[in-house]
Amino acid sequence: MRENALSSISTESGKLNLIGLAPDSLAKFFVGLGEKPYRVKQIMRWIYQRGVLEFDEMTDLSLRLRSQLNLVATMSLPKVIRIDHARDGTLKWVLDVGAGQAVEAVYIPEPNRSTLCISSQAGCAMDCSFCATGRRGFNRNLSAAEILGQVIIANQELAPESSITNIVFMGMGEPLANYREVVQVTKLLIDDHAMGLSRRRVTISTSGLVPQIRKLAHDCNVALAVSLHAPTDDLRDKLVPINQRHRINELLEACWNYSESVASRHITFEYVMLAGVNDGVQDAISLIKLLKNRPAKVNLIPFNSFPGTQYTCSEADVIRRFCMKLRASGIVATIRRTRGDDISAACGQLAGQVKNRMLVRLGNRKIRAAL
Ligand code: SAH
Ligand code: SF4
């Protein structure tokens, strides 16, 4: 409680921010006010299911409790700087998280589901060479309130028929490098008294932090996506520098164990298509060797460009052939449709506004400084 409560104190008001607090911390908070622990379920339903962020509107709490809460607690969200609307219906929120930092969340409507892509850090220290977030550097981890706040803000804006069915941690940041807050949020996303989503509809995407993948299997085994992007260590070292610490074999071993822990669910492997870099026939053959007959799906992501990048996207035909080759070997493979690129909301284009605090920009040394 102590640690969670302290990290949730709103700096402006000195009050405890109840958004994103773990249920056991909330229970201790209510007991401290002389209330019964069942208040937790009541307040979680108001916040997460009805979107009510005024204590005075929580009609099943006594008047005394409501005025007490007004004095000591708050439900504060990041401030919305602006909302961008793409031609294809994608929305992007740019959110102020203080001290000049801004992060982004993206809503992607599809015919039978609506996905919210959320950020877990202001920037990212992983330094993947093809990613706009990584190029901007790293500032800090987001708190559980700032992460879950993105979902609440999106729900406030969306009409009930457009409400969010899926959440993916594919915005700014490496979610498993902000492990404690991300797991706390994920538990609330799947808690029936909070957001109540199925664990299959919540996906954590990681560049490959092996110890955290192993831990996640026990702590909160939601769907897992892994940014593989290269079939050999030599190439992956260059594209995803965390590979210098955790080799592909070690990463895949952790993935297969994770899949077993969640009743043989498939792991999604993301593979960005970079012209002349990782899109050759030999790359497809090597990838097949790694993933064939395993609980693996491959999602090919056409590279989304951003200012100053050295990469270009593979030709559509090359991506299709790569996909067909994987499928011919029995691997389930799909090509991700690019969404919201006219508002820079597509995968890897989220740059937000980040003051880089990484002083060392020397590949692997930079990662060590941040983890
Ligand atoms: N940090 C997490 C989530 C990142 S975003 C991770 O790396 O897994 C989701 C996906 O977009 C990741 O697979 C990421 O590698 C990929 N991506 C990053 N930059 C991209 C770009 N410019 N074009 C296409 N995909 C990109
Ligand atoms: Fe970070 Fe993911 Fe971008 Fe790599 S791809 S820099 S891990 S956000």
Side-chain angles (χ1 to χ4, degrees), residues 29-284:
F29 167 71
F30 277 113
V31 169
L33 293 180
E35 292 287 331
K36 296 274 185 267
Y38 67 78
R39 295 290 183 210
V40 171
K41 288 180 187 159
Q42 285 177 304
I43 201 132
M44 289 207 315
R45 279 189 223 120
W46 281 114
I47 298 176
Y48 301 116
Q49 297 179 2
R50 300 176 194 144
V52 169
L53 299 183
E54 295 291 340
F55 294 120
D56 291 332
E57 291 173 23
M58 299 182 176
T59 46
D60 56 1
L61 305 183
S62 69
L63 282 174
R64 191 189 63 86
L65 177 57
R66 283 186 245 167
S67 58
Q68 220 178 353
L69 287 171
N70 275 321
L71 289 177
V72 297
T74 178
M75 291 166 287
S76 65
L77 301 171
K79 287 189 192 66
V80 179
I81 297 174
R82 56 165 213 278
I83 307 178
D84 295 334
H85 296 250
R87 281 188 297 269
D88 64 8
T90 299
L91 299 178
K92 181 173 87 172
W93 285 263
V94 184
L95 302 169
D96 177 2
V97 290
Q101 308 300 305
V103 299
E104 300 178 345
V106 178
Y107 169 77
I108 307 144
E110 287 173 283
N112 43 19
R113 66 176 171 191
S114 297
T115 304
L116 189 72
C117 173
I118 56 178
S119 294
S120 55
Q121 300 182 309
C124 185
M126 296 296 123
D127 209 18
C128 302
S129 53
F130 51 85
C131 170
T133 310
R135 300 286 80 194
R136 280 288 180 99
F138 173 74
N139 187 273
R140 68 169 173 88
N141 282 332
L142 298 184
S143 66
E146 290 165 333
I147 301 171
L148 208 48
Q150 298 166 49
V151 185
I152 296 172
I153 286 169
N155 271 331
Q156 283 174 340
E157 179 75 21
L158 297 167
E161 65 275 14
S162 320
S163 68
I164 296 157
T165 60
N166 294 55
I167 304 264
V168 293
F169 284 84
M170 294 187 185
M172 295 168 67
E174 165 50 59
L176 295 187
N178 184 11
Y179 189 85
R180 192 191 64 183
E181 304 292 307
V182 164
V183 167
Q184 192 166 311
V185 168
T186 307
K187 286 182 173 166
L188 287 167
L189 291 175
I190 62 175
D191 187 323
D192 283 341
H193 300 292
M195 293 291 180
L197 293 171
S198 143
R199 55 178 75 233
R200 286 167 191 270
R201 291 179 175 270
V202 176
T203 303
I204 293 184
S205 176
T206 177
S207 55
L209 274 63
V210 169
Q212 287 89 335
I213 293 175
R214 293 202 188 106
K215 209 162 151 2
L216 191 67
H218 303 287
D219 290 343
C220 195
N221 51 12
V222 290
L224 185 68
V226 172
S227 296
L228 191 57
H229 302 318
T232 61
D233 282 320
D234 275 356
L235 181 55
R236 194 163 192 271
D237 281 351
K238 296 190 190 93
L239 298 179
V240 187
I242 190 70
N243 195 68
Q244 294 161 29
R245 191 187 291 184
H246 301 294
R247 318 304 284 163
I248 291 178
N249 275 346
E250 187 193 350
L251 172 60
L252 293 183
E253 199 55 43
C255 289
W256 312 143
N257 287 337
Y258 190 90
S259 154
E260 271 173 27
S261 78
V262 291
S264 301
R265 228 182 305 145
H266 282 56
I267 310 286
T268 301
F269 290 93
E270 294 155 291
Y271 195 100
V272 64
M273 296 300 290
L274 304 169
V277 176
N278 63 354
D279 63 350
V281 175
Q282 189 50 49
D283 297 307

